[in-house]
Amino acid sequence: MAPDAMRTAAHALSDARPLSYWLDDPGKPGALPALTGDERCDLLVVGGGYSGLWTALLAKERDPGRDVVLVEGHEVGWAASGRNGGFCAASLTHGLANGLERWPDEIGYLEELGGRNLDAIESAVARYSIDCDFERTGEIDVATAPHQLDELREWHRRTQELGFSGVELLDREQVRAEVDSPTFLGGLWDRRGVAMLHPAKLAWGLKRACLGLGVRIFEHTRALGLARSGAGVAVRTPYGRVFARDVALGTNIFPSLVRRVRPYTVPVYDYALITEPLGAGQLASIGWGNRQGLGDSANQFHYFRLSADNRILWGGYDAIYPYGGRLDSSLDQRPETFLKLAGQFFECFPQLSGVRFSHAWGGAIDTCSRFSAFFGTAFRGRVAYAAGYTGLGVGATRFGADVMLDLLSGGETERTALRMVRTKPMPFPPEPFAWTGIELTKRSLARADSHGGHRNLWLRAMDRMGLGFDS
């Protein structure tokens, strides 16, 4: 970055608060008391993010008489569910291309299920009066390099041949008429497959809906261990225990209580900035009247969108894996990444020179080698888990909740019959091989971005093995 650009970026960050904009909200609900003593229930849900909240809510919708308890180690929505970009995608497979590569025989049905899942989220938001700024505006994948434009054109042609409709190819003039950046060369607009929302308000609204249906929620209650207890399971907490017939684990990036699941995920730290609210003139300079989400088509990509009060969230690019896969709250703040992101923001939108960022934050994503969630059971079918959403969990966690409940029921359903549900990704190797492989992949992806998309020998080998690394 040139010295002048670095000074501009640093100045724009000088007043940024070091926390998630979404969680810095006066409407944030107060924490509920921790669990003390022993409790008994039909279903215990571990984790108060989207995965756990949807599981508890759907369990009560399926059977209002079921006694459901949810325990959360901190507060509902405080981790990934309160720090993401607010892109709620229909895709269950981390995009059509990834799904088509891995489950070509099922992809049509997976796309159908994903569309139904997003419709169900929209319906639940309305039914429970969840005020989360839900806008089904779609998303544009933009090309910022000639090879990316060629790839978008080829992908659009292929999707049309396969019968997947609803995605519109935009040339340079058309995409800049939607959102004006001199870096945009074209784009693909999925008009219905993605909604924008306030992620923390979604979590808080789901919490309120769960309480309204009779779910008992205990915050600041970390689940410490699983053990068999008669025909069910006992979960130990700092101040007590929960005895449950069934347990659903929605802990995602946090170490699973089922130890054999842990090698399937690694934490990847992702970062975001958000601007101060834009004025009318600033908004007019970029357009964005249809308020779509956007993402560029590079391997090291950015995602960006407008908030309800017309701030621009700008995130992505760096994906930081800590050696050993250990979670570390000190990694939530990374000034060198914030500086890089700010400089890239002004390259994309030079007409917004002088805009300042109000918040800068990061957090860990549960990444697996196939990019999309995997599922399973333990303790003779009494415990179910879902993890590995790799950054696209805002929508897909509701589907994962249904899968966990199906697995606990013991019968085959349209979801549990899927090969996607019945198989698992390749686990990550132990250190130092995991760190070495991930670093090689990151450097190779960066090199591909700067060399016309050319994938080197390492990336081609990873492709053949069905392995990947993504933010």
Side-chain angles (χ1 to χ4, degrees), residues 5-26:
M6 185 173 293
R7 282 192 292 271
T8 298
H11 178 70
L13 288 163
S14 60
D15 294 324
R17 301 191 68 184
L19 74 164
S20 166
Y21 164 72
W22 309 118
L23 295 173
D24 187 21
D25 191 292

Side-chain angles (χ1 to χ4, degrees), residues 100-392:
L100 189 61
E101 175 69 23
R102 298 180 188 280
W103 303 288
D105 296 336
E106 293 182 344
I107 189 60
Y109 191 42
L110 287 167
E111 288 289 295
E112 178 189 337
L113 288 174
R116 282 159 46 184
N117 184 65
L118 182 55
D119 290 343
I121 292 172
E122 186 171 15
S123 295
V125 165
R127 183 165 65 256
Y128 293 107
S129 300
I130 298 175
D131 180 16
C132 64
D133 306 329
F134 189 97
E135 299 179 285
R136 199 154 175 179
T137 55
E139 180 180 8
I140 302 176
D141 290 329
V142 296
T144 58
H147 74 273
Q148 295 171 16
L149 184 58
D150 292 341
E151 290 167 358
L152 289 183
R153 287 170 176 158
E154 174 57 26
W155 178 241
H156 181 257
R157 182 194 64 78
R158 188 180 179 199
T159 57
Q160 299 305 297
E161 288 179 352
L162 292 170
F164 294 106
S165 59
V167 179
E168 179 182 350
L169 182 65
L170 306 177
D171 63 22
R172 179 171 183 162
E173 289 71 26
Q174 289 171 319
V175 74
R176 292 189 64 175
E178 294 296 329
V179 184
D180 191 14
S181 167
T183 67
F184 295 172
L185 305 179
L188 281 180
W189 185 2
D190 179 353
R191 289 180 175 268
R192 291 286 298 167
V194 184
M196 298 292 107
L197 52 77
H198 187 303
K201 286 184 177 179
L202 174 62
W204 300 334
L206 290 172
K207 173 184 176 180
R208 188 179 67 251
C210 285
L211 292 170
L213 293 182
V215 177
R216 292 181 286 148
I217 297 177
F218 299 92
E219 294 179 280
H220 295 288
T221 301
R222 184 182 173 196
L224 301 175
L226 286 168
R228 289 191 179 91
S229 177
V233 181
V235 175
R236 180 169 49 89
T237 72
Y239 304 125
R241 294 172 298 177
V242 182
F243 297 92
R245 179 180 183 275
D246 296 314
V247 176
L249 300 179
T251 50
N252 295 318
I253 192 50
F254 297 97
S256 177
L257 294 178
V258 179
R259 295 186 67 88
R260 68 172 183 268
V261 176
R262 296 181 184 181
Y264 289 102
T265 61
V266 295
V268 173
Y269 280 80
D270 183 50
Y271 298 91
L273 310 173
I274 200 166
T275 69
E276 61 193 355
L278 301 185
Q282 293 168 323
L283 279 172
S285 73
I286 57 173
W288 219 336
N290 288 315
R291 301 181 59 81
Q292 311 94 328
L294 279 87
D296 62 53
S297 302
N299 292 307
Q300 290 185 287
F301 62 90
H302 303 90
Y303 53 87
F304 39 117
R305 48 80 54 102
L306 288 171
S307 67
D309 58 351
N310 292 323
R311 302 166 185 263
I312 297 178
L313 179 142
W314 178 264
Y317 195 78
D318 272 351
I320 305 302
Y321 168 71
Y323 186 88
R326 287 183 292 272
L327 295 171
D328 184 351
S329 61
S330 69
L331 291 174
D332 292 349
Q333 291 292 308
R334 197 167 191 269
E336 59 267 45
T337 292
F338 296 145
L339 191 63
K340 189 184 302 181
L341 283 172
Q344 293 162 342
F345 174 87
F346 291 116
E347 289 176 11
C348 183
F349 295 119
Q351 64 269 51
L352 296 181
S353 177
V355 166
R356 297 171 73 86
F357 297 101
S358 64
H359 296 74
W361 70 94
I365 292 170
D366 60 326
T367 297
C368 75
S369 62
R370 74 182 192 188
F371 301 159
S372 52
F374 62 90
F375 314 90
T377 61
F379 286 78
R380 298 177 182 174
R382 296 270 66 92
V383 175
Y385 57 83
Y389 292 96
T390 318
L392 259 70

